[in-house]
Amino acid sequence: MEVDSKSISTQALEELSKELIQQRDLGITEEGERLIELQIGPTHPGSGHMRIRVWVDGDIIVRCDPDIGFVFRTIEKLSENRIYMKTIPLVERPSLLDTTPMTIGYINALEKLMGIEPPPRAKYLRTILAELTRIASHLYGIGIFAIFLGHSTGFMWGFGDRELFVELANQLSGARITYAYVIPGGVRRDMPQSFPDNVEKALRYFEKRLPDWYKMFLNNPVVEKRLREVGILRKNDAAKLGITGPNLRASGIEYDVRVADPYEAYDELDFMVPVADEGDAYARALVRFEEIKQSINIIRDALRKMPGGDIIHPQIARMFNPLMKKIYEESRRVKFPGVFASLKPPKGEATARVEAGRGEALFYLVSDGSPRPYRFRWTTPSYRNAILFKYLVPGHRLADLPAIYGSIDYFPPEADR
Amino acid sequence: MGVEVDFEKISEEISTSIENLAPEKKRFYKVTTPSLGPSVVRNIEAITTGLKYVIKPMRITIDYPRQVLEQPPWYRGMFRLLENVCIGCSLCDIICPSDAIRMVLNPEKKKRPVINWGRCIFCYYCVDICPVEAFDTTTIHDMAFDKYEDMLTNLEEFTKDPREKDPSKGAMRMRIKFDEKRGFVYEPTGKKNGGG
Amino acid sequence: MIQEILLLKELLGNNEMIYRTVIGLGYMLIYPGLIMIVIAAALLLWAERKIVALVQLRYGPLWISRRIGGALQGFADLIRFSFQEVIIPRRSDVIPFLLSPGLAILFSVLPIAFMPVSPYIKPPIHSDIGLLAAIAVISVAPIFIVLMGWASDNKFAFVGSLREALLIVSYEIPFIISILSMGVMFGSLDFYEIVERQSLLPGMLLNPFAFLASFIAMLRVTSRFPFEISEAETEIVAGPYTEYSGLMFGLSMGLAYIKLYVYALMVSLVFLGGWLPIVSGEGVIGGFLIPSLIVILKLTVVSLVAVFLRAVYGRYRIDQAIRIGWIHVFALSIVSLVWSIILVYGGWVRWA
């Protein structure tokens, strides 16, 4: 990788872009007419709208330029013009497959501002839903990964088994993907009676399916051959580029927000975090499978240790009117008190971090005492991983581009926000 | 710019600092890429796994327009306004994240909400914030409209039961039952979907 | 219809010339030629989708002709393709662009002229080097696939046709060697003699190396997984067929299935013993219908196995596929040739 990140001045950048424009117009590059420029995208090349410009010399990619921003939705600016509650469904939208960790992060920041902490049962419920979402998100990622390699069964199995966890989340929250389950001070509804039983059945089924997954996908000689030694991200490169999530851990760095800065119920639960040394596409896929196994452990442990009690902070429960109180006690469904329409956290700022399916997400919330946030800053894992295209792809064959794209589990809407 | 940074050292530091954070809980473990068996064996394993599913199919999909899924009662589907319960407090209008709900005046000059189904994201904030439970909820979510104007309801339409227009009338209703062997199976509930 | 042809034969007073023309046309156009091929390709397409759906926990095509499990889906697709607009890119080289799919199909169907399906009705060209001739004719087809990509003037089509060219070279040679090693073993290149000489043991047991090598090479030559590299959807859109639309797209997509039919026919004749165990029946039913049903059965098994692999494998990278082609499959085909020579000169197989 001969890309020199040390000293690129503005002048050099201008020259570079001028050169690029000229090359594009003439269809030639520094190596004469050897290079062909291919535009992968921008209409949904894989997991969302983005464009990847690659220059190939024969079949070898010499330069790769991810062009992000096709699904930029100004989430941060939009949230400045909305009351705090309205931003909860908003943060779900960009990372649609990974909704709960994002809402947890936002709500954690908001709760820090408001100075309240949810009751333990609510924390456990949040954790369970977050882990169900993580499994679903990983299965989606593996499915997309598989179809990138032309492995259609991996794709269908990924989506088919994901259905299981989506349905479990539906049982818990009442929606399949956009749960909006986490609210300031707690969660919106308690788990139904049959939930632990259903979860146990689903997890047992999935554990039985995992050997088939390995035989069909990871141990499959064709898949293995496509992934081994492809897109190697070395440990120091990963640290230097600020990579996060399973991609970081597949490069051998032991970092996970759930361990480094435990939120919700993670510090009370029993789980391990997988780390691999190789840093290639195969290791990244392997780490994802291992994480699914660990998420299963977390869900089991959380259901076992699930404390009783309230699911909403008493300060909020106090504001219920008699009808709301009746509904809360009878069907364990939290009605919103009117104050939710005009939450005014005191002046100040708060940050929260979560480990979403694709890595660490950071939330920074500034309140000026009004019902709308003064500033909301949100860094998503995909945004931090987007740089990998530029560094991992060159030197590989064109057919390796989908393999690398799939292995870093990049999700354009999440990166663009 | 141009400062030499020892990234190897930094990454070492990161990992040691994490170890210091939780010394009693060493929560990371190494997954070594397994040394897999000979590829002939793995080829045969993959093919037999595939054949297993050909011989014993395990469908996870549903034959959709003929069979519809019965969602749990708390599933967030379309809902309607109970006009005589509503007190016109406009909280639903204020909290609606996608500005789908709008307040209009009814013939008695009282404020009542109407909804634009084209904007609604089914978050149920309106239903949950309503202090008097003035919304009647259903689990119908697969409604289709001919044109955009149809999605804009007026007060009269918003008080009508969406179950009357259920698109999957006559379809067989299936319920999800979780199962250890097959993940979940679809179980017919025995009743045809007869618009409510 | 056979009866009518026989009647025709009598009416024409045993005019051999006209008789052979009629039979030959029927052979090439109806069965086992063009019409049969179209039906087989449409059904294969359906069978592939259905088998893959079984592995992938879903139903597969079901909407058209629901009672028979959506079996008419392929024909419905064919009709849809025929009525779609054909768009010709302005910068394409129009004549090769329009002609190459048809020519590719022509050269994929032509080997049928050398291949028998029954002992009773002989193929139009009954030659004692039929095997060699069939291989020679079908080897022409890939040239037109390369031409498709070249004439489209599209980067993806160009890359796709280059991949096709590279891969065809590295897999057709093992295929030819392993098929010809069977010729060496049977001491004949005549399909009839080859089938007859398998009456004791089918060819796949006599020379398993040749069977394996030619099956793997067949997978590549007919663009099956894990070698579906020249059309790799996630990398180069649709490879050489990127610019085709409507009926032309239908033709170029059907090409792979047509080739699969022809190759599977060849494999079932050479390795699976053709119409054996029926040695030679009497009349139209015993000599034509039952043997050709047996051939079709064997052909179906071979092609179903080939399409089933879509559910198991992803696709190789091109350099890996070429390496496998030149190292493993080529070596296997050489081994099969040596094995044949040993069998023949060691006196293990002896033909009358």
Coordinates of all heavy atoms in Angstrom, one line a residue, chain A residues 90-140:
Chain A
L90 N -35.8 8.4 14.5 CA -34.9 8.9 13.5 C -33.5 8.2 13.6 O -33.0 7.9 12.5 CB -34.7 10.4 13.8 CG -34.2 11.3 12.6 CD1 -35.1 11.2 11.4 CD2 -34.0 12.7 13.1
V91 N -33.0 8.0 14.7 CA -31.7 7.3 14.8 C -31.8 5.8 14.4 O -30.8 5.2 14.1 CB -31.0 7.4 16.2 CG1 -30.6 8.8 16.5 CG2 -31.8 6.8 17.3
E92 N -33.0 5.3 14.4 CA -33.2 3.9 13.9 C -33.0 3.8 12.4 O -32.6 2.8 11.9 CB -34.5 3.4 14.3 CG -34.7 3.1 15.7 CD -36.0 2.4 16.0 OE1 -37.0 2.7 15.2 OE2 -36.1 1.7 17.0
R93 N -33.4 4.9 11.7 CA -33.5 4.8 10.3 C -32.2 4.5 9.5 O -32.2 3.6 8.7 CB -34.2 6.0 9.7 CG -35.6 5.8 9.3 CD -36.5 5.5 10.5 NE -37.7 4.9 10.2 CZ -38.5 4.3 11.1 NH1 -38.1 4.4 12.3 NH2 -39.6 3.8 10.7
P94 N -31.1 5.2 9.8 CA -29.9 4.9 9.0 C -29.4 3.5 9.1 O -29.1 2.9 8.1 CB -28.9 6.0 9.5 CG -29.7 7.0 10.1 CD -30.9 6.3 10.7
S95 N -29.3 3.0 10.3 CA -28.8 1.7 10.5 C -30.0 0.8 10.8 O -30.2 0.3 11.9 CB -27.8 1.6 11.6 OG -28.4 2.1 12.8
L96 N -30.7 0.5 9.7 CA -32.0 -0.1 9.9 C -31.9 -1.5 10.4 O -32.9 -2.1 10.9 CB -32.7 -0.1 8.5 CG -34.2 -0.3 8.5 CD1 -34.8 0.7 9.4 CD2 -34.7 -0.1 7.1
L97 N -30.7 -2.2 10.2 CA -30.6 -3.6 10.7 C -30.1 -3.6 12.1 O -30.0 -4.7 12.6 CB -29.7 -4.3 9.7 CG -30.2 -4.1 8.3 CD1 -29.0 -4.1 7.4 CD2 -31.2 -5.1 8.0
D98 N -29.8 -2.5 12.6 CA -29.0 -2.5 13.8 C -29.7 -1.5 14.7 O -29.0 -0.6 15.3 CB -27.6 -2.1 13.5 CG -26.6 -2.7 14.4 OD1 -27.1 -3.5 15.2 OD2 -25.5 -2.3 14.4
T99 N -31.0 -1.5 14.9 CA -31.7 -0.3 15.4 C -31.5 -0.2 16.9 O -31.2 0.9 17.4 CB -33.2 -0.4 15.1 OG1 -33.6 -1.7 15.5 CG2 -33.4 -0.2 13.7
T100 N -31.6 -1.3 17.7 CA -31.7 -1.1 19.1 C -30.4 -0.5 19.7 O -30.5 0.4 20.5 CB -32.0 -2.5 19.8 OG1 -32.9 -3.1 19.0 CG2 -32.5 -2.3 21.2
P101 N -29.2 -1.0 19.3 CA -28.0 -0.4 19.9 C -28.0 1.2 19.7 O -27.6 1.9 20.6 CB -26.8 -1.0 19.2 CG -27.4 -2.3 18.7 CD -28.8 -2.1 18.5
M102 N -28.4 1.6 18.5 CA -28.4 3.0 18.2 C -29.4 3.8 19.2 O -29.1 4.8 19.7 CB -28.8 3.2 16.8 CG -27.8 2.6 15.8 SD -26.2 3.2 16.1 CE -25.3 2.3 14.8
T103 N -30.6 3.2 19.3 CA -31.5 3.9 20.2 C -31.0 3.9 21.7 O -31.1 4.9 22.4 CB -32.9 3.3 20.2 OG1 -32.8 1.9 20.2 CG2 -33.7 3.7 19.0
I104 N -30.4 2.8 22.0 CA -29.8 2.7 23.4 C -28.8 3.8 23.6 O -28.8 4.5 24.6 CB -29.2 1.3 23.7 CG1 -30.3 0.3 23.8 CG2 -28.3 1.3 24.9 CD1 -29.8 -1.1 24.0
G105 N -27.9 4.0 22.6 CA -26.9 5.0 22.7 C -27.5 6.4 22.9 O -27.1 7.2 23.7
Y106 N -28.5 6.7 22.0 CA -29.1 8.0 22.1 C -29.8 8.2 23.4 O -29.6 9.2 24.1 CB -30.1 8.1 20.9 CG -30.9 9.4 21.0 CD1 -30.4 10.6 20.7 CD2 -32.3 9.3 21.4 CE1 -31.1 11.8 20.8 CE2 -33.0 10.5 21.5 CZ -32.5 11.7 21.1 OH -33.2 12.8 21.2
I107 N -30.5 7.2 23.8 CA -31.3 7.3 25.1 C -30.3 7.4 26.3 O -30.6 8.1 27.2 CB -32.2 6.1 25.3 CG1 -33.3 6.1 24.2 CG2 -32.8 6.0 26.6 CD1 -34.3 7.2 24.3
N108 N -29.2 6.6 26.2 CA -28.2 6.7 27.3 C -27.7 8.2 27.5 O -27.6 8.7 28.6 CB -27.1 5.8 27.1 CG -27.4 4.4 27.5 OD1 -28.4 4.1 28.1 ND2 -26.5 3.5 27.3
A109 N -27.4 8.8 26.3 CA -27.0 10.2 26.4 C -28.0 11.1 26.9 O -27.8 11.9 27.8 CB -26.6 10.7 25.0
L110 N -29.3 10.8 26.5 CA -30.4 11.7 27.0 C -30.6 11.4 28.5 O -30.9 12.4 29.2 CB -31.6 11.3 26.2 CG -32.9 12.1 26.4 CD1 -32.6 13.6 26.2 CD2 -34.0 11.6 25.5
E111 N -30.5 10.2 28.9 CA -30.7 9.9 30.3 C -29.6 10.5 31.2 O -29.9 11.0 32.3 CB -30.8 8.4 30.5 CG -32.1 7.8 30.2 CD -32.1 6.3 30.2 OE1 -31.0 5.7 30.2 OE2 -33.2 5.7 30.0
K112 N -28.4 10.5 30.6 CA -27.4 11.2 31.4 C -27.7 12.7 31.6 O -27.4 13.3 32.6 CB -26.0 11.0 30.7 CG -25.4 9.7 31.0 CD -24.0 9.6 30.2 CE -23.6 8.1 30.2 NZ -22.5 7.9 29.3
L113 N -28.2 13.3 30.5 CA -28.6 14.7 30.6 C -29.7 14.9 31.6 O -29.7 15.8 32.4 CB -29.1 15.2 29.2 CG -28.1 15.6 28.2 CD1 -28.8 16.0 26.9 CD2 -27.3 16.8 28.7
M114 N -30.7 14.0 31.6 CA -31.8 14.1 32.5 C -31.5 13.7 33.9 O -32.3 14.0 34.8 CB -33.0 13.3 32.0 CG -33.6 13.9 30.7 SD -34.6 12.7 29.8 CE -35.9 12.4 31.0
G115 N -30.4 13.0 34.1 CA -30.0 12.5 35.4 C -30.9 11.4 35.9 O -31.1 11.3 37.1
I116 N -31.4 10.5 35.0 CA -32.2 9.4 35.5 C -31.5 8.1 35.0 O -30.8 8.1 34.1 CB -33.6 9.4 35.1 CG1 -33.7 9.5 33.5 CG2 -34.4 10.6 35.7 CD1 -35.1 9.3 33.0
E117 N -31.8 7.0 35.7 CA -31.3 5.8 35.3 C -32.4 4.8 35.3 O -33.2 4.7 36.2 CB -30.2 5.3 36.3 CG -29.3 4.2 35.6 CD -28.1 3.9 36.5 OE1 -27.4 4.9 37.0 OE2 -27.8 2.7 36.6
P118 N -32.5 4.0 34.2 CA -33.7 3.0 34.2 C -33.6 2.0 35.2 O -32.5 1.6 35.7 CB -33.5 2.4 32.8 CG -32.1 2.6 32.4 CD -31.6 3.8 33.1
P119 N -34.7 1.4 35.6 CA -34.7 0.3 36.6 C -34.0 -0.9 35.9 O -33.9 -1.1 34.7 CB -36.2 0.0 36.8 CG -36.9 0.6 35.7 CD -36.0 1.8 35.2
P120 N -33.5 -1.9 36.8 CA -32.6 -3.0 36.3 C -33.4 -3.8 35.3 O -32.8 -4.3 34.3 CB -32.3 -3.8 37.5 CG -33.0 -3.2 38.6 CD -33.5 -1.8 38.3
R121 N -34.7 -4.1 35.5 CA -35.4 -4.9 34.5 C -35.4 -4.3 33.1 O -35.2 -5.0 32.1 CB -36.8 -5.2 35.0 CG -37.5 -6.2 34.2 CD -38.9 -6.5 34.8 NE -39.7 -7.4 34.0 CZ -39.6 -8.7 34.1 NH1 -38.8 -9.3 34.9 NH2 -40.3 -9.5 33.3
A122 N -35.6 -3.0 33.1 CA -35.6 -2.3 31.8 C -34.2 -2.5 31.1 O -34.1 -2.7 29.9 CB -35.9 -0.9 32.0
K123 N -33.1 -2.4 31.9 CA -31.8 -2.6 31.4 C -31.6 -3.9 30.8 O -31.0 -4.1 29.7 CB -30.7 -2.4 32.5 CG -30.5 -1.0 32.9 CD -29.4 -1.0 33.9 CE -29.0 0.5 34.2 NZ -27.9 0.5 35.2
Y124 N -32.1 -4.9 31.5 CA -32.0 -6.3 30.9 C -32.8 -6.5 29.7 O -32.3 -7.1 28.7 CB -32.4 -7.3 32.0 CG -31.3 -7.7 32.9 CD1 -30.9 -6.9 33.9 CD2 -30.6 -8.9 32.7 CE1 -29.8 -7.2 34.8 CE2 -29.6 -9.3 33.6 CZ -29.2 -8.5 34.6 OH -28.2 -8.8 35.4
L125 N -34.0 -5.9 29.6 CA -34.8 -6.0 28.4 C -34.1 -5.4 27.2 O -34.1 -5.9 26.1 CB -36.2 -5.4 28.7 CG -37.1 -6.3 29.5 CD1 -38.3 -5.5 29.9 CD2 -37.5 -7.6 28.8
R126 N -33.5 -4.2 27.5 CA -32.8 -3.5 26.5 C -31.6 -4.3 25.9 O -31.4 -4.5 24.7 CB -32.2 -2.2 27.0 CG -33.2 -1.1 27.2 CD -32.5 0.1 27.8 NE -33.4 1.2 28.1 CZ -33.1 2.4 28.5 NH1 -31.8 2.6 28.6 NH2 -33.9 3.3 28.9
T127 N -30.9 -4.9 26.9 CA -29.8 -5.8 26.5 C -30.2 -6.9 25.6 O -29.6 -7.2 24.6 CB -29.1 -6.3 27.7 OG1 -28.9 -5.2 28.6 CG2 -27.7 -6.9 27.4
I128 N -31.3 -7.6 26.0 CA -31.8 -8.7 25.3 C -32.1 -8.3 23.8 O -31.7 -8.9 22.9 CB -33.0 -9.4 26.0 CG1 -32.5 -10.1 27.2 CG2 -33.7 -10.3 25.0 CD1 -33.7 -10.6 28.0
L129 N -32.9 -7.2 23.7 CA -33.3 -6.8 22.4 C -32.0 -6.3 21.6 O -32.0 -6.6 20.4 CB -34.3 -5.6 22.5 CG -34.9 -5.3 21.2 CD1 -35.7 -6.4 20.6 CD2 -35.9 -4.1 21.3
A130 N -31.1 -5.7 22.3 CA -29.9 -5.3 21.5 C -29.1 -6.5 21.0 O -28.6 -6.5 19.9 CB -29.0 -4.5 22.4
E131 N -29.1 -7.6 21.8 CA -28.4 -8.8 21.3 C -29.2 -9.5 20.2 O -28.6 -10.1 19.3 CB -28.1 -9.7 22.5 CG -27.0 -9.2 23.4 CD -25.7 -8.8 22.8 OE1 -25.2 -9.5 21.9 OE2 -25.2 -7.7 23.1
L132 N -30.5 -9.5 20.3 CA -31.3 -10.1 19.3 C -31.0 -9.3 18.0 O -30.8 -9.9 16.9 CB -32.8 -10.0 19.6 CG -33.3 -11.0 20.6 CD1 -34.8 -10.7 20.9 CD2 -33.2 -12.4 20.1
T133 N -30.9 -8.0 18.1 CA -30.7 -7.2 16.9 C -29.3 -7.5 16.4 O -29.1 -7.5 15.2 CB -30.8 -5.7 17.3 OG1 -31.9 -5.5 18.2 CG2 -31.0 -4.9 16.1
R134 N -28.3 -7.7 17.3 CA -26.9 -7.9 16.8 C -26.9 -9.2 16.0 O -26.3 -9.3 15.0 CB -26.0 -8.0 18.0 CG -24.5 -8.2 17.6 CD -23.7 -8.4 18.9 NE -24.0 -7.5 19.9 CZ -23.6 -6.3 20.0 NH1 -22.8 -5.8 19.1 NH2 -23.9 -5.5 21.0
I135 N -27.6 -10.3 16.5 CA -27.6 -11.5 15.8 C -28.2 -11.3 14.4 O -27.7 -11.7 13.4 CB -28.3 -12.6 16.5 CG1 -27.7 -12.9 17.9 CG2 -28.4 -13.9 15.7 CD1 -28.4 -13.9 18.7
A136 N -29.4 -10.6 14.4 CA -30.1 -10.3 13.1 C -29.2 -9.5 12.2 O -29.1 -9.8 11.0 CB -31.4 -9.6 13.4
S137 N -28.5 -8.6 12.7 CA -27.6 -7.7 11.9 C -26.4 -8.5 11.3 O -26.1 -8.4 10.2 CB -27.1 -6.6 12.8 OG -26.0 -6.0 12.2
H138 N -25.8 -9.4 12.2 CA -24.7 -10.2 11.7 C -25.2 -11.2 10.6 O -24.5 -11.4 9.6 CB -24.1 -11.0 12.8 CG -23.1 -10.2 13.6 ND1 -22.6 -9.0 13.1 CD2 -22.6 -10.4 14.9 CE1 -21.7 -8.6 14.0 NE2 -21.7 -9.3 15.1
L139 N -26.4 -11.7 10.8 CA -26.9 -12.7 9.8 C -27.2 -12.0 8.5 O -26.9 -12.5 7.4 CB -28.2 -13.4 10.3 CG -28.0 -14.5 11.4 CD1 -29.3 -15.0 11.9 CD2 -27.2 -15.6 10.7
Y140 N -27.7 -10.8 8.6 CA -27.9 -10.0 7.4 C -26.5 -9.7 6.7 O -26.4 -9.9 5.5 CB -28.5 -8.6 7.8 CG -28.6 -7.7 6.6 CD1 -29.7 -7.7 5.8 CD2 -27.6 -6.8 6.3 CE1 -29.8 -6.8 4.7 CE2 -27.7 -5.9 5.3 CZ -28.8 -5.9 4.5 OH -28.8 -5.0 3.4

